[in-house]
Amino acid sequence: MKKKSGGNQHQDYYARLAKKEKYPARSIYKLEAIDKQFRILPKGVRVVDFGCNPGSWTLYSAQRVGESGFVLGIDINDAGTAFPGNAKFIRRDIFEIGPEELLSHGGKFDVVLSDMAPSTTGDRTGDHFRSMKLCHRVLDLAESVLTNGGYMVIKAFQGPDYPDLLQAVRSVFGKVKCQKPPASKSNSVEMFIVGIDYRPHDENREPGNESIRSTPLN
């Protein structure tokens, strides 16, 4: 019998754990790791989760923010998951939904999440540029719907335009951290950008306040 590689065992562990804990996907453990480090989801906050299908991030967020909080999950496809009373799902294209529609769900949000990724083609360069387009769209929306001092977490595929995305995020957040959680595949180019302390176009940010830790491309 052929032995499984260490990478496959790593993936199987998180997949089994997600099934055991009744989450629809193993991606929940990426958000959990980020939340444990930065405490982005305290009780009572309002969250918008872009690209929420199949629902693990929305479910985790709803559990963390509690009944006094609210989570709005958005995806171009049906989530196929039952959400608790403090979470709502709408099926929309991120390039068609606008700030007004987002704000109609109770006002501004304290946290913007995005685990969105393009359908991969095997062309890493093309996939990277499509990922950048999604990330910049999330950032554009975040600048209209995020409360001052809020958080943003977006998944990005590393590549030639990745530094430009980081610069755009740094321009509106007090601090920026780049994380590759343990649940990410070791050979993946995905990186999670964590924006901390949203400050709209604050030009008075002290030099050195940004902290960037990135992982090289494989």
Side-chain angles (χ1 to χ4, degrees), residues 49-85:
D49 179 15
F50 293 111
C52 70
N53 176 284
S56 288
W57 278 31
T58 299
L59 286 172
Y60 175 81
S61 298
Q63 178 185 359
R64 291 288 296 155
V65 305
E67 293 182 0
S68 60
F70 173 71
V71 183
L72 178 64
I74 302 171
D75 201 280
I76 195 171
N77 299 307
D78 285 329
T81 299
F83 294 116

Short mmCIF file of all heavy atoms in Angstrom, two decimals, residues 49-85:
data_model
loop_
_atom_site.label_atom_id
_atom_site.label_comp_id
_atom_site.label_asym_id
_atom_site.label_seq_id
_atom_site.Cartn_x
_atom_site.Cartn_y
_atom_site.Cartn_z
N ASP A 49 -19.02 38.81 5.40
CA ASP A 49 -18.16 37.72 4.94
C ASP A 49 -18.36 37.53 3.45
O ASP A 49 -19.34 36.92 3.02
CB ASP A 49 -18.50 36.45 5.73
CG ASP A 49 -17.67 35.24 5.32
OD1 ASP A 49 -16.65 35.43 4.63
OD2 ASP A 49 -18.06 34.11 5.67
N PHE A 50 -17.42 38.04 2.64
CA PHE A 50 -17.51 37.92 1.19
C PHE A 50 -16.99 36.55 0.74
O PHE A 50 -15.97 36.07 1.23
CB PHE A 50 -16.71 39.02 0.50
CG PHE A 50 -17.26 40.40 0.70
CD1 PHE A 50 -16.58 41.33 1.48
CD2 PHE A 50 -18.45 40.78 0.11
CE1 PHE A 50 -17.07 42.62 1.66
CE2 PHE A 50 -18.96 42.05 0.29
CZ PHE A 50 -18.27 42.98 1.06
N GLY A 51 -17.68 35.96 -0.24
CA GLY A 51 -17.27 34.66 -0.74
C GLY A 51 -17.43 33.58 0.31
O GLY A 51 -16.54 32.76 0.52
N CYS A 52 -18.58 33.59 0.97
CA CYS A 52 -18.75 32.76 2.17
C CYS A 52 -19.02 31.29 1.89
O CYS A 52 -18.95 30.48 2.81
CB CYS A 52 -19.87 33.33 3.04
SG CYS A 52 -21.53 33.14 2.35
N ASN A 53 -19.37 30.93 0.66
CA ASN A 53 -19.65 29.53 0.34
C ASN A 53 -18.46 28.64 0.69
O ASN A 53 -17.32 29.00 0.37
CB ASN A 53 -19.97 29.42 -1.16
CG ASN A 53 -20.20 27.99 -1.62
OD1 ASN A 53 -19.24 27.23 -1.78
ND2 ASN A 53 -21.43 27.64 -1.86
N PRO A 54 -18.63 27.50 1.37
CA PRO A 54 -19.90 26.87 1.76
C PRO A 54 -20.41 27.26 3.16
O PRO A 54 -21.36 26.67 3.63
CB PRO A 54 -19.54 25.39 1.73
CG PRO A 54 -18.11 25.35 2.17
CD PRO A 54 -17.48 26.59 1.57
N GLY A 55 -19.76 28.21 3.82
CA GLY A 55 -20.34 28.74 5.05
C GLY A 55 -19.54 28.59 6.32
O GLY A 55 -19.98 29.04 7.38
N SER A 56 -18.37 28.00 6.26
CA SER A 56 -17.60 27.77 7.49
C SER A 56 -17.22 29.06 8.20
O SER A 56 -17.32 29.17 9.43
CB SER A 56 -16.34 26.96 7.19
OG SER A 56 -16.66 25.63 6.88
N TRP A 57 -16.76 30.06 7.43
CA TRP A 57 -16.36 31.32 8.06
C TRP A 57 -17.56 32.04 8.66
O TRP A 57 -17.46 32.63 9.73
CB TRP A 57 -15.65 32.21 7.04
CG TRP A 57 -14.20 31.88 6.84
CD1 TRP A 57 -13.62 30.65 6.94
CD2 TRP A 57 -13.15 32.79 6.51
NE1 TRP A 57 -12.28 30.73 6.69
CE2 TRP A 57 -11.96 32.03 6.41
CE3 TRP A 57 -13.10 34.16 6.27
CZ2 TRP A 57 -10.73 32.62 6.10
CZ3 TRP A 57 -11.88 34.74 5.95
CH2 TRP A 57 -10.71 33.98 5.87
N THR A 58 -18.69 32.00 7.97
CA THR A 58 -19.90 32.64 8.49
C THR A 58 -20.36 31.95 9.77
O THR A 58 -20.73 32.61 10.75
CB THR A 58 -21.02 32.62 7.43
OG1 THR A 58 -20.57 33.35 6.28
CG2 THR A 58 -22.29 33.27 7.96
N LEU A 59 -20.36 30.63 9.78
CA LEU A 59 -20.76 29.89 10.97
C LEU A 59 -19.84 30.18 12.15
O LEU A 59 -20.30 30.42 13.28
CB LEU A 59 -20.77 28.39 10.68
CG LEU A 59 -21.90 27.86 9.81
CD1 LEU A 59 -21.65 26.39 9.45
CD2 LEU A 59 -23.25 28.00 10.52
N TYR A 60 -18.54 30.16 11.90
CA TYR A 60 -17.58 30.44 12.97
C TYR A 60 -17.76 31.86 13.50
O TYR A 60 -17.78 32.10 14.72
CB TYR A 60 -16.15 30.24 12.47
CG TYR A 60 -15.10 30.62 13.48
CD1 TYR A 60 -14.74 29.74 14.51
CD2 TYR A 60 -14.48 31.87 13.44
CE1 TYR A 60 -13.79 30.09 15.45
CE2 TYR A 60 -13.53 32.23 14.38
CZ TYR A 60 -13.17 31.34 15.38
OH TYR A 60 -12.24 31.70 16.32
N SER A 61 -17.91 32.81 12.58
CA SER A 61 -18.08 34.21 12.99
C SER A 61 -19.34 34.40 13.81
O SER A 61 -19.34 35.10 14.83
CB SER A 61 -18.11 35.11 11.76
OG SER A 61 -16.90 35.04 11.04
N ALA A 62 -20.44 33.77 13.38
CA ALA A 62 -21.70 33.88 14.10
C ALA A 62 -21.58 33.34 15.52
O ALA A 62 -22.12 33.90 16.48
CB ALA A 62 -22.81 33.17 13.34
N GLN A 63 -20.85 32.26 15.65
CA GLN A 63 -20.63 31.68 16.98
C GLN A 63 -19.81 32.63 17.85
O GLN A 63 -20.11 32.82 19.04
CB GLN A 63 -19.89 30.34 16.84
CG GLN A 63 -19.56 29.68 18.17
CD GLN A 63 -18.73 28.43 17.99
OE1 GLN A 63 -18.39 28.03 16.88
NE2 GLN A 63 -18.37 27.81 19.10
N ARG A 64 -18.79 33.24 17.27
CA ARG A 64 -17.91 34.11 18.03
C ARG A 64 -18.58 35.41 18.45
O ARG A 64 -18.39 35.87 19.58
CB ARG A 64 -16.65 34.43 17.20
CG ARG A 64 -15.73 33.23 16.99
CD ARG A 64 -15.01 32.85 18.24
NE ARG A 64 -14.12 33.92 18.68
CZ ARG A 64 -13.72 34.11 19.91
NH1 ARG A 64 -14.15 33.31 20.88
NH2 ARG A 64 -12.89 35.11 20.23
N VAL A 65 -19.37 36.03 17.56
CA VAL A 65 -19.95 37.34 17.89
C VAL A 65 -21.18 37.22 18.76
O VAL A 65 -21.61 38.19 19.38
CB VAL A 65 -20.27 38.14 16.61
CG1 VAL A 65 -19.03 38.28 15.74
CG2 VAL A 65 -21.42 37.54 15.81
N GLY A 66 -21.78 36.03 18.82
CA GLY A 66 -22.91 35.79 19.70
C GLY A 66 -24.20 36.43 19.23
O GLY A 66 -24.27 37.04 18.16
N GLU A 67 -25.23 36.29 20.05
CA GLU A 67 -26.56 36.77 19.68
C GLU A 67 -26.62 38.29 19.55
O GLU A 67 -27.48 38.81 18.83
CB GLU A 67 -27.58 36.30 20.71
CG GLU A 67 -27.79 34.79 20.72
CD GLU A 67 -28.84 34.35 21.71
OE1 GLU A 67 -29.41 35.24 22.41
OE2 GLU A 67 -29.11 33.14 21.81
N SER A 68 -25.73 38.98 20.21
CA SER A 68 -25.72 40.44 20.12
C SER A 68 -24.99 40.95 18.88
O SER A 68 -25.02 42.14 18.58
CB SER A 68 -25.07 41.05 21.37
OG SER A 68 -23.73 40.60 21.51
N GLY A 69 -24.34 40.04 18.17
CA GLY A 69 -23.64 40.41 16.94
C GLY A 69 -24.42 40.01 15.72
O GLY A 69 -25.53 39.47 15.80
N PHE A 70 -23.85 40.27 14.55
CA PHE A 70 -24.53 39.96 13.29
C PHE A 70 -23.49 39.64 12.22
O PHE A 70 -22.44 40.29 12.16
CB PHE A 70 -25.38 41.14 12.84
CG PHE A 70 -25.99 40.97 11.46
CD1 PHE A 70 -27.01 40.05 11.25
CD2 PHE A 70 -25.53 41.71 10.39
CE1 PHE A 70 -27.57 39.88 9.99
CE2 PHE A 70 -26.09 41.56 9.12
CZ PHE A 70 -27.11 40.65 8.92
N VAL A 71 -23.80 38.64 11.38
CA VAL A 71 -22.92 38.26 10.28
C VAL A 71 -23.72 38.22 8.99
O VAL A 71 -24.75 37.55 8.92
CB VAL A 71 -22.25 36.89 10.51
CG1 VAL A 71 -21.27 36.58 9.38
CG2 VAL A 71 -21.54 36.85 11.86
N LEU A 72 -23.25 38.92 7.98
CA LEU A 72 -23.85 38.89 6.66
C LEU A 72 -22.91 38.12 5.73
O LEU A 72 -21.78 38.55 5.49
CB LEU A 72 -24.06 40.31 6.12
CG LEU A 72 -24.64 40.42 4.70
CD1 LEU A 72 -26.05 39.85 4.66
CD2 LEU A 72 -24.61 41.87 4.22
N GLY A 73 -23.37 36.98 5.24
CA GLY A 73 -22.58 36.17 4.32
C GLY A 73 -23.03 36.42 2.89
O GLY A 73 -24.22 36.47 2.61
N ILE A 74 -22.07 36.57 1.98
CA ILE A 74 -22.36 36.88 0.58
C ILE A 74 -21.55 35.97 -0.32
O ILE A 74 -20.35 35.78 -0.11
CB ILE A 74 -22.02 38.35 0.27
CG1 ILE A 74 -22.81 39.30 1.18
CG2 ILE A 74 -22.29 38.67 -1.20
CD1 ILE A 74 -22.37 40.74 1.08
N ASP A 75 -22.23 35.41 -1.33
CA ASP A 75 -21.51 34.59 -2.30
C ASP A 75 -22.28 34.57 -3.61
O ASP A 75 -23.51 34.75 -3.61
CB ASP A 75 -21.33 33.15 -1.79
CG ASP A 75 -20.19 32.43 -2.49
OD1 ASP A 75 -20.40 31.95 -3.63
OD2 ASP A 75 -19.09 32.35 -1.91
N ILE A 76 -21.57 34.33 -4.69
CA ILE A 76 -22.21 34.26 -6.00
C ILE A 76 -22.98 32.96 -6.17
O ILE A 76 -23.85 32.84 -7.01
CB ILE A 76 -21.15 34.43 -7.12
CG1 ILE A 76 -21.82 34.74 -8.46
CG2 ILE A 76 -20.24 33.21 -7.19
CD1 ILE A 76 -20.84 35.14 -9.54
N ASN A 77 -22.64 31.98 -5.33
CA ASN A 77 -23.33 30.68 -5.33
C ASN A 77 -24.09 30.50 -4.02
O ASN A 77 -23.77 31.12 -3.01
CB ASN A 77 -22.33 29.54 -5.49
CG ASN A 77 -21.57 29.61 -6.79
OD1 ASN A 77 -22.17 29.71 -7.86
ND2 ASN A 77 -20.24 29.56 -6.72
N ASP A 78 -25.10 29.62 -4.05
CA ASP A 78 -25.82 29.31 -2.82
C ASP A 78 -24.86 28.70 -1.80
O ASP A 78 -23.99 27.89 -2.15
CB ASP A 78 -26.95 28.32 -3.10
CG ASP A 78 -28.13 28.99 -3.79
OD1 ASP A 78 -28.36 30.19 -3.54
OD2 ASP A 78 -28.81 28.32 -4.58
N ALA A 79 -25.03 29.08 -0.55
CA ALA A 79 -24.14 28.56 0.49
C ALA A 79 -24.43 27.09 0.79
O ALA A 79 -23.54 26.32 1.13
CB ALA A 79 -24.28 29.38 1.76
N GLY A 80 -25.70 26.70 0.69
CA GLY A 80 -26.05 25.32 0.97
C GLY A 80 -25.88 24.94 2.43
O GLY A 80 -25.71 23.77 2.77
N THR A 81 -25.90 25.94 3.31
CA THR A 81 -25.69 25.72 4.75
C THR A 81 -26.77 26.46 5.53
O THR A 81 -27.15 27.57 5.16
CB THR A 81 -24.30 26.25 5.17
OG1 THR A 81 -23.29 25.53 4.46
CG2 THR A 81 -24.07 26.08 6.67
N ALA A 82 -27.26 25.84 6.58
CA ALA A 82 -28.22 26.51 7.46
C ALA A 82 -27.46 27.38 8.46
O ALA A 82 -26.54 26.90 9.13
CB ALA A 82 -29.06 25.48 8.20
N PHE A 83 -27.83 28.66 8.54
CA PHE A 83 -27.14 29.58 9.42
C PHE A 83 -28.01 29.91 10.63
O PHE A 83 -29.24 29.88 10.56
CB PHE A 83 -26.80 30.87 8.68
CG PHE A 83 -25.80 30.67 7.58
CD1 PHE A 83 -26.15 30.89 6.25
CD2 PHE A 83 -24.51 30.25 7.86
CE1 PHE A 83 -25.24 30.69 5.23
CE2 PHE A 83 -23.59 30.06 6.84
CZ PHE A 83 -23.95 30.28 5.53
N PRO A 84 -27.38 30.28 11.75
CA PRO A 84 -28.14 30.64 12.96
C PRO A 84 -28.85 31.98 12.79
O PRO A 84 -28.65 32.70 11.80
CB PRO A 84 -27.06 30.70 14.04
CG PRO A 84 -25.81 31.01 13.30
CD PRO A 84 -25.93 30.33 11.97
N GLY A 85 -29.64 32.36 13.77
CA GLY A 85 -30.46 33.55 13.68
C GLY A 85 -29.69 34.85 13.60
O GLY A 85 -30.22 35.86 13.13
#
